[in-house]
Amino acid sequence: MASRVLENFIDGKFVASESEDVLELVNPVDETVTGYVPVSTAAEVDSAVAAAARAFRSWGATTPRERQTALLKLADAIEAHSSELVAAQCRNTGQPKAVIAAEEVAAGADQLRFFAGAARLLEGRSAGEYVEGFTSYTRREPIGVVAQITPWNYPFLMAMWKIGPALAAGNTVVLKPSDTTPDSTLVLARLTRGLLPDGVFNVILGDATSGAALVAHPEPGLASITGSVRAGMAVAASAARGLKRAHLELGGKAPAVVFADVDIESTAADITQAAFFNAGQDCTAVTRVLVHESIHEDLVQALAKNARSLRPGQPEDPDSFCGPLNNRRHFDSVLETMAALPSHATVVTGGERLGDSGFFVEPTVITGVCQSDPIVQEEVFGPVLTVQPFVDEAQAITYANDVRYALASSVWTRDHGTVERMARALNFGAVWVNCHMVLTAEMPHGGFKHSGYGKDLSMYSMEEYTRIKHVMSAHR
């Protein structure tokens, strides 16, 4: 298996890269090398973009019904090949196989079906005579070729979030998956053959340089990325130079604001699930618990107890709550972050590597932190949860909003007035109430500030992948 070199998917065919530069694919469960990813060249990026541009001439002119039919067939194929998709992704991520099957493959197929239906529901203002003697109306059109970059934390699901609205709106796609998690995306590419016209969906492999070449290419009219703030800024800067649109879903530092009237045990259980799911490698994961001082100690103990019960483990183990961190660089970064904790911080539970093979880290709960500490301010993207007390609602709002990220948050209380005040005051793209990290295709997902701009999921995502044209006709 280690000798396999993955291939790009261009114009409906798998094509070997001519690049001599390859990257190792490492299984994060046992650190074995499972294959090699070529660092695609600018010429190969150009070939994929050219294929997408050719395909757009016909795909962009198809009826919504035709696009819906194709996407529904693709969703059926995804479900029929669930086991293959799960196995491919597990090699790259080490996630529990049951989680991949339910939370990525099944959820991704469902979301693709939502966008298939949304293809037939694009709306615009009604025609009217706004100037005497002239009729005006608007057209909502596809952009053309779009460049998309997906991350390693949910490789298959994020591909669905990208291609669903893009293809439903009539665009064609060149997608670059993360260099550490390309396998499930390539299985998806194979499944599109015979269901989508050649060139409608293309996959380019490689590292950041390959992604940069794709974003900088003059043909795509939109560049979309789910990734880090640093990567998002690079995409935004490159897109700006080409005067193309950018869609950025970036990092998070989600607070869970807990008031004194909650049931402590059930709240702690729900919060730890939302903190340590996927080993905390989720931009919407709870990373900061802000709790009223009157129940601080009790909640800390309940969080620690639940954290100790949610153990990372092997992909086939039904008792595994999560898998390892994705790659060596990230694993080292998380451990270095915990090693650099200030002296006033206390690790209540966790904080260490699990085992001597693989990138497993214990679920970790930390108290005694200050608002200015890096562990509070910066995204760790691992199984790390900090807990801070607050004295009143005003202080809770200040602490919650005092980070550069603004993607997701939650409020935990039985009081309706508190819910409404906090929902308005929290400066985040999502505010969950007495729950956290619950997503549905019908509702938008996206943040503010350094968490980026643009929406995934929902009809708002369809709008991201369209352009508006005004047509005015004289009465003569």
Side-chain angles (χ1 to χ4, degrees), residues 23-348:
L23 307 169
E24 288 184 340
L25 271 179
V26 176
N27 186 325
V29 172
D30 57 14
E31 302 181 55
T32 58
V33 176
T34 63
Y36 298 90
V37 177
V39 178
S40 296
T41 65
E44 289 163 344
V45 170
D46 187 66
S47 177
V49 171
R54 289 192 300 270
F56 177 69
R57 297 169 194 160
S58 56
W59 181 252
T62 55
T63 65
R65 178 183 179 181
E66 291 173 303
R67 296 196 296 275
Q68 179 193 45
T69 299
L71 294 180
L72 289 175
K73 288 180 179 178
L74 180 57
D76 291 343
I78 286 167
E79 287 187 333
H81 291 81
S82 175
S83 296
E84 184 182 2
L85 286 162
V86 169
Q89 181 154 308
C90 188
R91 282 196 301 271
N92 296 165
T93 66
Q95 296 164 288
K97 289 185 174 181
V99 170
I100 301 173
E103 302 296 334
E104 297 208 43
V105 177
D110 175 72
Q111 290 162 1
L112 191 60
R113 291 191 177 103
F114 168 82
F115 286 115
R120 301 180 73 165
L121 291 174
L122 288 175
E123 298 177 351
R125 294 185 183 274
S126 62
E129 289 67 50
Y130 304 101
V131 177
E132 186 175 354
F134 298 85
T135 295
S136 286
Y137 63 93
T138 57
R139 293 176 52 87
R140 186 177 287 278
E141 300 177 339
I143 294 168
V145 178
V146 296
Q148 300 181 324
I149 299 174
T150 50
W152 46 253
N153 57 332
Y154 298 111
F156 186 79
L157 187 65
M158 294 300 98
M160 292 296 97
W161 285 22
K162 297 291 185 202
I163 73 169
L167 298 180
N171 302 283
T172 55
V173 168
V174 180
L175 186 148
K176 193 202 84 67
S178 168
D179 57 278
T180 66
T181 57
D183 274 319
S184 61
T185 304
L186 292 175
V187 174
L188 171 65
R190 197 192 75 237
L191 296 180
T192 66
R193 290 196 294 199
L195 301 179
L196 299 177
D198 293 348
V200 168
F201 177 59
N202 307 272
V203 179
I204 281 290
L205 303 174
D207 59 8
T209 62
S210 308
L214 174 59
V215 173
H217 195 285
E219 179 68 34
L222 169 71
S224 175
I225 182 174
T226 298
S228 68
V229 172
R230 175 190 53 78
M233 287 181 170
V235 167
S238 178
R241 286 191 291 272
L243 289 179
K244 64 183 66 174
R245 288 158 59 178
H247 174 272
L248 314 175
E249 201 272 60
L250 310 177
K253 196 69 180 171
V257 185
V258 182
F259 288 87
D261 60 345
V262 301
D263 179 275
I264 291 175
E265 292 300 323
S266 65
T267 299
D270 289 345
I271 287 176
T272 50
Q273 293 256 342
F276 302 127
F277 184 78
N278 204 33
Q281 298 170 124
D282 190 308
C283 51
T284 64
V286 177
T287 62
R288 301 179 291 143
V289 174
L290 309 175
V291 54
H292 191 268
E293 59 182 1
S294 65
I295 63 167
H296 174 266
E297 292 304 318
D298 290 340
L299 185 66
V300 167
Q301 294 308 311
L303 290 169
K305 180 185 72 174
N306 279 278
R308 286 189 287 269
S309 72
L310 302 176
R311 305 300 290 174
Q314 297 295 311
E316 296 83 5
D317 185 349
D319 295 325
S320 295
F321 178 71
C322 60
L325 299 185
N326 179 255
N327 58 78
R328 167 64 68 177
R329 177 184 294 181
H330 183 52
F331 173 71
D332 290 343
S333 173
V334 171
L335 292 180
E336 288 166 4
T337 295
M338 289 191 282
L341 288 173
S343 59
H344 53 262
T346 299
V347 176
V348 180

